[in-house]
Structure formats: C-alpha cells, structure tokens
Amino acid sequence: MERATIPKHPAPIDYIVEAHRHVLVERAVLVRQRNLIAEMKANGGDAKRAEYVLAACELSLQEFENDLKRLTRVRG
C-alpha cells in the first residue's frame, strides 16, 4: 500500500484541530465496536467478520494518528 507523503511546510492549524477531533470520534467508535463484538460473542454469535473489520479500522486509525503526529512535529 502506498503511503501519502507528509508535506514539509506546516499544516494549517484548522486541519490539525479537525484531525484531532476525528481521532477522538474514531476512538469512541472503536470502543463501541469492541463492545458490540463482545456482546455478539456472549450471545453465541460468530464475530469473525466483525473482528476483521475492527482490526482494519484499528490499523487505519493508527496510521492516521502516526501521520498526525508527524504533521504536528513538522509544525513545531
């Protein structure tokens, strides 16, 4: 998978603030997904597909957070 390049110039502060909000919302969504999967398993359901989707979302969020950290570092 090709990674987007991080620009060397500072990112607009509005983008960084919005990106932090996105991270917070996505973390809350992942918590909710984990709870739903646990509930599904407790009720005897097959949660394999849901776990695959959750893992993909977690990886995506981790990459986004890493990029955001690099952007914040470039900004100073």
Side-chain angles (χ1 to χ4, degrees), residues 7 9-20 68 71-72 74-75:
H9 56 82
I13 192 71
D14 292 342
Y15 171 79
I16 292 173
V17 169
E18 189 62 34
H20 278 292
L68 181 58
L71 266 179
T72 305
V74 168
R75 185 156 179 78

Side-chain angles (χ1 to χ4, degrees), residues 20-62:
H20 278 292
R21 255 188 235 121
H22 170 78
V23 167
L24 294 175
V25 168
E26 188 63 26
R27 284 180 186 162
V29 168
L30 291 178
V31 168
R32 178 71 177 132
Q33 286 179 324
R34 283 186 205 106
N35 292 340
L36 288 172
I37 289 170
E39 189 177 312
M40 188 183 298
K41 286 180 174 181
N43 292 329
D46 181 16
K48 271 294 182 214
R49 288 183 185 168
E51 289 173 325
Y52 291 138
V53 172
L54 176 61
C57 291
E58 288 172 334
L59 286 174
S60 176
L61 178 61
Q62 185 61 50

Side-chain angles (χ1 to χ4, degrees), residues 3-9 11 63 66-68 70-72 74:
R3 289 184 53 85
T5 57
I6 302 296
K8 298 278 186 227
H9 56 82
E63 286 298 315
N66 291 342
D67 289 345
L68 181 58
R70 283 191 288 274
L71 266 179
T72 305
V74 168

